[in-house]
Structure formats: C-alpha cells, structure tokens
Amino acid sequence: MLTPEPRRPTAVQLLTAAAAALLLLSTLLPWRELIDPVALGPAGPEAGLVRSQLWELPYATTWTMLLATLAAGTLAATITGADLVLRAAAAATASLVTAGTLYALIQLPPRLPDGVGYRPAIGLWTALALAIPLLLLAVLLSLRRPRHLAVVATSASIGVLAGLLAPDAAAPPYEPEVVAGVPHRLLDLNGGQLEDRLGMRVAIGTSDPLDSLAGNLDGTPGEWLLGRTGSEGSTVFAYGDGVALPQVALSHGVTPPALLGVSDHRMLLFAGGAANHPWAVLSVPLSLVTADISLSHRNPDGTYYVTPGIDVLATGTGPAFSHRTADRSVVIWASNSTWQIPADQLRAGLKLSDFLVAPGPGAAGNAVSSGPDGTVAWRTGRTGLALRRPGSQPQQLTGIAPAGCPLSRDPVSSSMTVEAFAVDVRGNLWLSSSTSTAVITPDGVLRPLPRKTAGVESIEARADGSVLVGVSPGGGDQVLLIPDAAAAAASYPAAPEPTSRCDRRTPAAGSTPYWMNAGVAGRGRR
C-alpha cells in the first residue's frame, strides 16, 4: 500500500501567503501622520510629526478587523492546502486594502495654509504596495481554472465593497438628524476631551466650553477650538468637518484665555482676568507658531510683554469676564464697568472709554446681552433680569415671583435663578437655570425647550440665528447646538398658566413694586 506524499505548496502559493503575512505586519507601522507646527523646533520638520498606527485609529476598528481576518484566512488556506479558499481570501484581502486605503486618501482633510494637516505614513504605502501584488498572485493561481477565476472575481468585488463601506481612518463627520428647534450635540466632551473623527484628542482649555469654541467674527464659515495642552499652555485648533488641526501654541500662565473669535487672519483672545491679576484683549496672528500671552512681565515703558507681532488692544485689572452677542459684539464686564465692543472695532487703537455702557458698581455691567434688533437684556442682581425692547420701557422679568413658583407662561410669575442668558437675532431671550432652559419670545410668553436641557452653564446666540448651549450633565461637558433657534422659538409650546399664589399679572393688593439697576431704577405697577 502506497501512502501519498503530502502536497507541497507551489511558489505562487508561498508568495501569496508571504504577502498576506507582510500585509498584516504593516498595520504595526504608522499609517497616518499629523504635521503639527506647534511641536516644531530646532530638531527640524520631523519633530512636528504625530504618528498613529492603524490599530490606534478609533474609526478604523471594523476595517482593521476585516483586514486581519482575511489575511489570517489566506495564511490558513496555504497551510491546509485549500486552494479555492486561498484564492478567494487573497483576492478579498487585496481588494479590501486597495479600495480602503485609496478611499481614506481621498477623504483626508485639506491642509491649512501653513502646511498643517494629515498625510499618509509609511504603513499605508507599504500596505498598498503589498495589496496590488497579492491581487495579481490570486489571479495567477486561477488562470488555468475558469471556475476558480469566477470565485476570485466575486471575492475581489466583495473586498472592494467592504473597503468602501466599512468605517476607516477618515470616517464621515457626525451628522445627526435635527428636529426643528431641538438641540443636538455639537461637541461631546467626555471628561473635558474632544476626540475628532481622525482620532486626535483635544482637552478643552477653559472651564466654560463656550469660551473654547468660537467662529469667525465677520460671519464667514469657520470654527476654532482652544485646547489645553499643559498646565499653563493651550493650543488653538482650526476645527471643521469633525477634524481639529493645531494652529498656534499659547503660553498663558495659570488662567486660560477665552477665545473670542478670528478676524483678518488674527485670533482675538481675552487673557487673564482672575482675582486682582491683569487682563487684556489681544490680537494674535495665526501665522505665529507659539505666542506668550501670560501678562506676567512688563516692558520698560510699562506695557505688557507679549510675543512680537501680538497687538494689545485693551487692558485692565481683574476680576473680569467676557462673552459674545448675536449682534457680533463682544461684552467685557469688570467689577465696576461694562464695555460692549462691535467685532469690527476690535483692532489696534481701540479705546475702551468709547464703548462704555454701564459705569459704576452694581450697574448693568455684571452681564448684558443684545440683539441686532435693539433688544437688550441685563442683570439687575443675583436673581433679577431686566429687558428693554425697541420703543418700549424696561421691564423686570425675573426676581419678582415668590420662591418655589414653577415656570409659567408669564416670566414675572416664574421663580428662576438665571445662570445664563442671551438675546438672539429675532429678539428672543434665552435663559437657563440649574434645572431648566426656556425662551421668552417677543410676545412676552415663556416657552420651555422641547427637550429637557438641565445643567446649563452658558448660552450664546449667534448672528446666523443659532444658539449654543454649554452643558455639564455630569458625564463630561457638552456643547449643544440649536441650529434654527431664532426661527423655531415661537413654535415652542407655552408654559402653563401661573398658579394663583405666583400670579403677578393681577396682584391682590393692586400693585407690585420692583427696582431695576443700570440707571433704570423705578417703581412699576403691574
């Protein structure tokens, strides 16, 4: 009895297995590089490269597992002598890698003008160089067998489809289904960190997430992020389509700055403002790689030392705060004064005295917001909020109803401790407390948001009619976007009628006294 000798793999089969093994090993090489000018130094351009392997790209998980499974199947088919499986696995693996890598290359975002951006690294090029010969070897194995050639063609088609549809290193940006007027997540900061769609982690640089997110002050499209990169340093990122690209590294000391926006290729920052330390409004060119804005040193002439090229637009001594309004102005308020500066006036030669809106302690200056239609809202105290619409007298909105009164359609009859507020482009007043968020429309009706939004720390109305809400729900900060807020506010259902104990529209005694600060103090009858 003759025992048949074990079948030995042919040279083409061995080459196919070797190519699959090398392809699998290529995933251990860097597949993506970020050219980061912030990290550039005397060591040369390579010092600014941030490299990532395929296994480190979070959105490439499915794609990576497919590649590993098919490559392992190719190796197993060579060992077991399953020719048909070998041909199919080799063709599918090669097609998957070829289609997937080329598709990822197409989706990489364009670089910034200064060269910052992503580019494919050696691992991707190695995989692509191995995938094409692997596909040719699969075809060579099947040339003499038409049935096997059909299997190879089918497997290759499946591999191409998987390479195009499976999530890869350049997955499309998050696009939620937005219901009119309902907030959706713009930035989900798990633990204070944003992870962009290419896997970069950006730790938001300020305690208020809205201070770290800004647009172009002239109204053109664009988003910018301020990310914390050290205990006393931050980086400004150009943010778009879910990708954050580093732009300028800032050295600012213990207190991080607020990012006001970008205009004329310069970013506007509000630096300092803590305790009794100095504060300043700074204009920083985006062409700088690093910038010192710590305000910790003075020049011999008494001016603050900053990196050459930075303009110091205004200065003062803290504490002080800032925010943006829907009419494209920036509000800065200190302990004794408030200034409201149009965005197009934030340039060299700025004089704060020209934009003073509320001098003196306790004035409207501890917070004010205005819209382009002339509607102005301001604080009159810790719980008090006043509103003046064009052609009408100022009206006290909150701080009048007894404690414990629930939200009702009449704002004056509702008990609210307003944490944040903003006037949008249509004169709607958005306001929030620790437990609820609502809007007061021009008809004077209070309307809660359709979706419960609690834990709001800040609100910003933008010139495009949208509203941003900074939230800390307990699992990490979030920035919620209401894209059509100004138009949708009137469609929100009104809150219920006030209870008899809280109703301030027809008071039992016939009058309800209240006081308003900011140069508008009086006693009104309701």
Side-chain angles (χ1 to χ4, degrees), residues 30-34 46 49-53 56 119 121:
W31 274 56
R32 188 197 65 193
E33 293 176 338
L34 169 64
E46 291 299 309
L49 291 180
V50 179
R51 296 181 172 90
S52 299
Q53 297 172 354
E56 297 172 334
R119 70 183 183 190

Side-chain angles (χ1 to χ4, degrees), residues 14 23 45 50-51 53 59 93 175 210 213 223 274 286 294 353 359 367 375 398 431 441 509:
L14 291 175
L23 183 60
V50 179
R51 296 181 172 90
Q53 297 172 354
Y59 297 102
T93 306
E175 295 181 357
L210 293 191
L213 180 68
E223 293 285 356
L286 290 172
S294 60
S353 58
T375 302
T398 63
L431 63 170
T441 46

Side-chain angles (χ1 to χ4, degrees), residues 337-383:
S337 302
T338 296
W339 304 271
Q340 188 165 7
I341 310 166
D344 59 0
Q345 299 296 316
L346 290 166
R347 55 175 181 257
L350 170 70
K351 293 182 179 179
L352 281 180
S353 58
D354 295 341
F355 304 99
L356 186 66
V357 295
N366 50 1
V368 62
S369 180
S370 61
D373 67 343
T375 302
V376 181
W378 68 90
R379 287 190 185 276
T380 62
R382 175 63 181 168
T383 60

Side-chain angles (χ1 to χ4, degrees), residues 77-88:
T78 305
I79 297 172
T80 59
D83 290 345
L84 187 59
V85 176
L86 175 63
R87 291 161 172 74

Side-chain angles (χ1 to χ4, degrees), residues 21 43 52 124 142 166 171 222 230 282 309 331-332 400 431 460 467 472 489 510 526:
S52 299
L124 184 144
S142 308
L282 305 173
V331 174
I332 300 172
I400 300 175
L431 63 170
E460 176 189 333
V467 168
S472 295
R526 302 285 296 171

